[in-house]
Amino acid sequence: MLVAPSSNRVYADAAPRLAAAEIETVLAAFGSTPDVAPIDLAGVDYLTISASGDEVVPALSNLSATFALFEREGELLRPIPLQRRQFYPSDLVTIQKYQGKTNEQWTRLLLNVTAAATKRPSKWLDGGLDVMDPMCGRGTTLNIALLAGYSVTGVDVDRKDYDTYAAFLKTWVQAHRLKHTMDRGASTTGGRARGREFTLEVAPTKDAFKTGDTQTVRYLSTDTTDLGGLVRAASIDVIVTDTPYGVQHGSHGDRLSRRPLELLDRAMPAWIRTLRTGGTVGLSYNRHVAPAENLALMLEQHGLIVVTDWRDSPFRHRVDASIDRDLIVARKES
Ligand SMILES: C[S@@+](CC[C@H](N)C(=O)[O-])C[C@H]1O[C@@H](n2cnc3c(N)ncnc32)[C@H](O)[C@@H]1O
């Protein structure tokens, strides 16, 4: 595997290690235990992966750091055609730039590792995955999920993020002349006002739209700790979110955002209710403000089973002096 050059800019020295951890975690879900090692070929860094199984190439094709895959034949490298799940132009993910945006590659890694940990990891490759980001900001996860052909729900309490993302998405589908409908309105349940919401229904081609082979992006501008009546119970396969870092990021400075553990503890019952049995929650978090042990304990207190190694996490990396970033994944067993 040739690791995408951008990942070196994002994670500096951690890029090959994070890529190796993603490969091992995702392939393990498909019953493969690969040997992964860094190698220098003619002055260029690659990862060598020894693995077998029908899912290996499709899985490797969709990892966050994959730039190109080759099969080694003696001294030579034979290119392997990638089997990427990419249904729309990739500028969907890259156009928006703003303070507090979660890194795209890290978001993709989090989605991949979380989807692979469900009871049915094949849904990640066959497209039948229902994704939710319950603190979605301006939609990095929503864009990545849409690009990969999944339907996705986003929630965020910040009205400005909602308005900005709704405007961006509408402009983007129009600019790419994608057939779509977009319904916007107020959410109400039992006569109670619950904020704003929009639903975009879109397909990569006119024919797909006509035959109803569409995806939806639904965004609720509301408090994530109270989703009752807004998101159907047992309708989501994977919840992925980049939790507040506990440091000031632009406008996201409310009291609970500075105490991510307290916020997660309050939100968890609402989130778990929306998950299907066998579904997973994947959280990106700052170990400085949410100690790993406390987070793992909190997830287990809500009845989830933590499936990643939080003690010696291969995904832990330093972003800057105030952010020691990691991820944790937990599954709803019953
Ligand atoms: C780290 S940011 C997510 C950024 C996002 N991944 C992106 O790339 O745009 C965390 C988000 O949590 C949201 N948030 C904090 N408290 C919330 C609450 N009670 N309900 C819903 N969203 C909340 C903030 O508004 C913020 O957008």
Side-chain angles (χ1 to χ4, degrees):
M1 174 191 288
L2 192 53
V3 173
S6 59
S7 60
N8 286 313
R9 287 198 299 274
V10 176
Y11 310 122
D13 326 340
R17 177 172 63 78
L18 290 172
E22 186 187 9
I23 294 166
E24 282 164 0
T25 309
V26 169
L27 290 189
F30 292 101
S32 179
T33 36
D35 278 331
V36 185
I39 190 173
D40 177 318
L41 295 176
V44 177
D45 291 330
Y46 293 80
L47 287 173
T48 58
I49 304 149
S50 308
S52 58
D54 291 346
E55 315 286 4
V56 170
V57 171
L60 292 179
S61 299
N62 287 290
L63 298 189
S64 66
T66 306
F67 191 56
L69 296 173
F70 303 89
E71 199 168 339
R72 290 186 80 181
E73 288 187 6
E75 291 277 283
L76 303 179
L77 298 180
R78 177 194 294 279
I80 299 176
L82 294 181
Q83 298 178 31
R84 274 210 174 116
R85 294 191 53 82
Q86 188 185 317
F87 296 90
Y88 300 92
S90 61
D91 65 351
L92 172 62
V93 179
T94 52
I95 291 174
Q96 292 189 107
K97 306 251 183 285
Y98 50 91
Q99 200 192 10
K101 178 175 179 177
T102 310
N103 175 268
E104 297 137 23
Q105 219 161 346
W106 174 247
T107 304
R108 199 176 294 253
L109 185 153
L110 177 65
L111 175 61
N112 290 344
V113 169
T114 309
T118 67
K119 273 275 153 60
R120 288 186 50 207
S122 57
K123 276 189 162 191
W124 173 59
L125 292 175
D126 70 25
L129 205 63
D130 289 304
V131 178
M132 178 165 85
D133 182 342
M135 295 193 287
C136 67
R138 297 190 190 178
T140 307
T141 308
L142 312 189
N143 293 337
I144 287 170
L146 180 61
L147 202 66
Y150 311 129
S151 279
V152 63
T153 303
V155 181
D156 204 289
V157 75
D158 188 314
R159 180 62 196 266
K160 198 158 156 248
D161 278 358
Y162 171 84
D163 288 337
T164 308
Y165 182 67
F168 161 74
L169 197 58
K170 180 77 183 168
T171 307
W172 185 84
V173 287
Q174 285 172 335
H176 288 282
R177 299 176 177 284
L178 294 166
K179 196 120 178 74
H180 67 279
T181 57
M182 191 168 186
D183 294 324
R184 300 191 201 199
S187 327
T188 46
T189 52
R192 182 158 73 102
R194 306 287 295 277
R196 310 282 304 166
E197 68 171 279
F198 76 75
T199 301
L200 173 85
E201 186 174 4
V202 65
T205 63
K206 282 201 176 76
D207 284 346
F209 193 86
K210 231 187 266 167
T211 58
D213 191 7
T214 58
Q215 295 161 248
T216 56
V217 178
R218 182 169 179 234
Y219 190 137
L220 300 155
S221 168
T222 196
D223 191 316
T224 198
T225 59
D226 179 15
L227 299 178
L230 294 174
V231 182
R232 239 181 338 114
S235 62
I236 303 290
D237 298 299
V238 291
I239 291 176
V240 286
T241 201
D242 185 24
T243 61
Y245 281 56
V247 289
Q248 287 281 4
H249 263 149
S251 59
H252 307 313
D254 67 271
R255 192 186 62 80
L256 271 184
S257 294
R258 282 196 291 275
R259 298 178 185 194
L261 264 182
E262 209 179 303
L263 172 62
L264 290 170
D265 191 33
R266 289 247 311 266
M268 214 44 73
W271 296 2
I272 292 171
R273 212 191 99 264
T274 68
L275 264 191
R276 297 194 169 108
T277 302
T280 44
V281 182
L283 306 174
S284 159
Y285 69 104
N286 180 4
R287 293 178 71 122
H288 284 317
V289 294
E293 187 173 4
N294 299 7
L295 181 56
L297 187 67
M298 187 272 288
L299 292 169
E300 302 228 325
Q301 278 167 349
H302 285 281
L304 300 174
I305 305 294
V306 174
V307 295
T308 45
D309 180 359
W310 54 266
R311 283 188 185 83
D312 190 17
S313 170
F315 296 106
R316 181 176 182 178
H317 61 284
R318 183 181 182 279
V319 176
D320 57 34
S322 63
I323 301 178
D324 176 11
R325 190 160 59 179
D326 203 349
L327 63 78
I328 190 165
V329 179
R331 189 162 50 220
K332 178 175 174 176
E333 295 285 356
S334 56

